[in-house]
Amino acid sequence: MNAVAATDQRSSDWSLIERVVARDETALAALYDRYSGLLCGILNRILRDAQAAEEILQDVFFQVWRNAAQFDPARGSIAGWLVVAARNRAISRLRRRNPGETEELIENTVVLPFNLESEAAQKEMLGKVRGALQDLSTEQREAVELAYFEGLTHSEIAARTGDPLGTVKTRLRSAVESLKTKLSGPGK
Amino acid sequence: MTNGHPYQDADYDLYALGALRGEECAAIESHVASCDECAQKLAQARGRIALLALAVEPVEPSPGAKEALLRQLHATVEGHEGRRAPEPARVRFRAAGWWTAIWAPAAVAFACITIFLVVENRKIAQQIDAMHADVAQLQAQVQDAQSNVALFSAKDTVRVALAPSKDFRGANASVRYNARLGKAFYSDSISTPAPPDKSYQLWLVPADGKPISAGILSPSAGAGSEMFVSVPPGTTAKAFAVTVEPTGGSPQPTGPKILVGGM
């Protein structure tokens, strides 16, 4: 790893974004190196198609390149935006929605309760998230995964599982409340 | 769900999860659009739900994916620069046009001049060759004239009178001959043209060997014939004669002699 790459590795997401705004391709490459594994994991999980996953991965980072100047540190985290954008695009493709519906996501604010800028932080959170999900009941975890990885609504989950809609709603609500407790950041 | 905030954190989590129906989403979006506090709650809910991505094992994309992205960036950068800084391109175009405007006519002119010079050079070369030929011809004529003059002035030039045959009685003819110079001058007073299909041919009869043709006479009405004749220098002449030969002459005498003169 050369000195520039090492520096990029230590740079914050926002300092990299500032360089991307200045059309520094190495900065975008550094962001890519930092988050492409995470995003590719979720994209593969949703799409089950490596080629489609990489297409969306490229699309998401290219949107960062095009719209870097629109990012505002006061409005959330880059990592959060990347995850939300990648997931929404994948769900749109999976459910054959109009991809244009996800274009305005750049305006969405995503506040991550944890900093994921280092690989170590990501690994630490991986354990925490998996632990939180394991703490859910099987039905809750299934409902959460159907919603998160397949983009199903309450009704669709009910139709898929055969459970009453009210049950699914209660199950999901209790699941997200549990996750909030486990995944809230320090002091929350 | 109180104090003007109709939604709980779980509602925003469910919204971020994508579990709500369209009208439920629209209601939440309408509220957060006018409520900064709830907009912040929604932003935090998005962050919490986003963390679920970490439940999945990371997957390194293929190297080709990054290369494709960087190629896409390069294409954009080049296109961007091309749009943002078109002036240099136009300047270059103008510069090229300016240079072309000078260079192209100059090249054409140069080519035309070159072709013109080549053609002219050939013409001049041909003219020079012709002049050389003329000079050579003139030199030959001068030499011939000088030799003619020398023929008449040389002490070793001899005059031979030719006697006519009975059919040309009254005609006068003579030859001044210089064997050293190989020159002779013939003159006669014959005004009668040669018969049709015939020519009068002059012969030098050497001391040794066969007669040598010295030329075809061209008598003009009332004036006779005159001509300078060149023969191989050093040829000792025994006699001169004029015969009637087929038109254009013969290699050797075949017809009757009309004039004969011995040395």
Side-chain angles (χ1 to χ4, degrees):
Chain A
M1 183 185 299
N2 58 37
V4 173
T7 302
D8 288 342
Q9 200 174 43
R10 292 191 300 271
S11 299
S12 71
D13 287 355
W14 287 109
S15 65
L16 292 173
I17 284 293
E18 287 174 357
R19 288 166 50 195
V20 171
V21 172
R23 306 285 84 174
D24 182 348
E25 295 174 20
T26 62
L28 189 79
L31 275 175
Y32 181 93
D33 291 340
R34 186 173 291 177
Y35 294 115
S36 59
L38 170 66
L39 300 187
C40 205
I42 181 71
L43 289 168
N44 271 305
R45 174 70 172 78
I46 293 171
L47 295 169
R48 315 241 180 230
D49 180 339
Q51 183 178 348
E54 291 189 353
E55 287 175 6
I56 291 179
L57 184 70
Q58 181 178 341
D59 192 33
V60 167
F61 278 99
F62 186 63
Q63 193 178 354
V64 172
W65 177 257
R66 286 189 307 176
N67 302 307
Q70 296 179 24
F71 285 104
D72 182 356
R75 304 184 66 175
S77 75
I78 299 299
W81 183 89
L82 288 171
V83 170
V84 171
R87 176 190 173 242
N88 278 283
R89 284 167 186 266
I91 294 295
S92 292
R93 175 174 291 206
L94 186 69
R95 310 207 63 184
R96 303 186 186 285
R97 292 176 186 157
N98 180 2
E101 293 176 13
T102 62
E103 289 297 324
E104 62 183 5
L105 280 172
I106 196 78
E107 302 295 332
N108 290 343
T109 302
V110 181
V111 177
L112 281 177
F114 299 95
N115 188 332
L116 300 179
E117 292 181 6
S118 71
E119 190 176 351
Q122 290 182 27
K123 285 183 177 176
E124 181 184 346
M125 280 308 300
L126 185 147
K128 191 172 284 190
V129 171
R130 286 182 177 175
L133 285 171
Q134 286 300 320
D135 288 343
L136 298 176
S137 69
T138 302
E139 293 78 9
Q140 285 176 321
R141 188 165 56 252
E142 181 189 33
V144 168
E145 289 178 349
L146 286 173
Y148 190 77
F149 295 117
E150 296 189 34
L152 300 185
T153 63
H154 285 137
S155 324
E156 291 165 332
I157 293 169
R160 173 76 67 87
T161 61
D163 296 324
L165 178 59
T167 302
V168 171
K169 283 186 174 182
T170 302
R171 194 177 286 162
L172 267 179
R173 178 172 286 271
S174 61
V176 296
E177 285 175 341
S178 173
L179 290 172
K180 181 192 172 193
T181 303
K182 304 280 179 55
L183 299 179
S184 290
K188 303 276 176 140
Chain B
M1 205 177 289
T2 57
N3 299 325
H5 303 297
Y7 301 104
Q8 297 177 333
D9 288 350
D11 294 315
Y12 296 121
D13 284 347
L14 291 170
Y15 173 91
L17 192 60
L20 302 182
R21 295 192 310 271
E23 61 272 22
E24 294 170 323
C25 292
I28 288 179
E29 289 163 2
S30 176
H31 174 68
V32 299
S34 58
C35 178
D36 290 341
E37 185 178 340
C38 288
Q40 184 63 20
K41 288 181 179 177
L42 176 58
Q44 291 169 349
R46 286 196 183 104
R48 282 193 295 275
I49 298 302
L51 287 177
L52 294 178
L54 292 167
V56 181
E57 195 68 34
V59 174
E60 285 304 314
S62 67
K66 185 176 182 181
E67 291 169 5
L69 174 65
L70 293 177
R71 279 198 303 273
Q72 195 175 9
L73 300 191
H74 278 297
T76 307
V77 168
E78 288 167 5
H80 181 66
E81 287 176 351
R83 288 191 302 273
R84 205 172 58 171
E87 197 59 29
R90 286 201 296 269
V91 168
R92 284 195 297 274
F93 176 76
R94 286 188 193 129
W98 177 82
W99 174 246
T100 302
I102 298 232
W103 180 86
V108 171
F110 179 76
C112 290
I113 290 170
T114 301
I115 293 170
F116 173 77
L117 289 176
V118 168
V119 171
E120 285 301 305
N121 188 49
R122 285 181 182 172
K123 284 183 181 177
I124 290 171
Q126 289 172 349
Q127 288 174 349
I128 290 172
D129 290 342
M131 290 173 74
H132 277 303
D134 291 343
V135 168
Q137 187 177 6
L138 286 171
Q139 287 176 334
Q141 289 175 351
V142 168
Q143 288 178 347
D144 192 46
Q146 288 175 336
S147 65
N148 290 341
V149 170
L151 171 66
F152 284 98
S153 60
K155 293 180 179 179
D156 53 351
T157 297
V158 294
R159 182 178 183 278
V160 179
L162 280 70
S165 65
K166 64 179 180 181
D167 293 333
F168 286 85
R169 196 177 304 273
N172 297 315
S174 66
V175 174
R176 294 177 186 274
Y177 177 64
N178 191 305
R180 176 177 54 84
L181 298 175
K183 293 287 295 185
F185 177 75
Y186 171 85
S187 67
D188 68 32
S189 61
I190 298 174
S191 59
T192 305
D197 301 326
K198 299 293 181 182
S199 293
Y200 299 135
Q201 186 169 4
L202 176 66
W203 301 94
L204 182 154
V205 181
D208 295 317
K210 295 179 179 179
I212 300 169
S213 175
I216 302 298
L217 305 182
S218 300
S220 53
S225 300
E226 291 182 347
M227 68 177 182
F228 283 96
V229 177
S230 294
V231 295
T235 301
T236 302
K238 184 173 68 177
F240 285 91
V242 175
T243 60
V244 179
E245 301 293 336
T247 301
S250 299
Q252 288 294 312
T254 59
K257 298 180 182 67
I258 60 172
L259 294 165
V260 176
M263 298 297 288

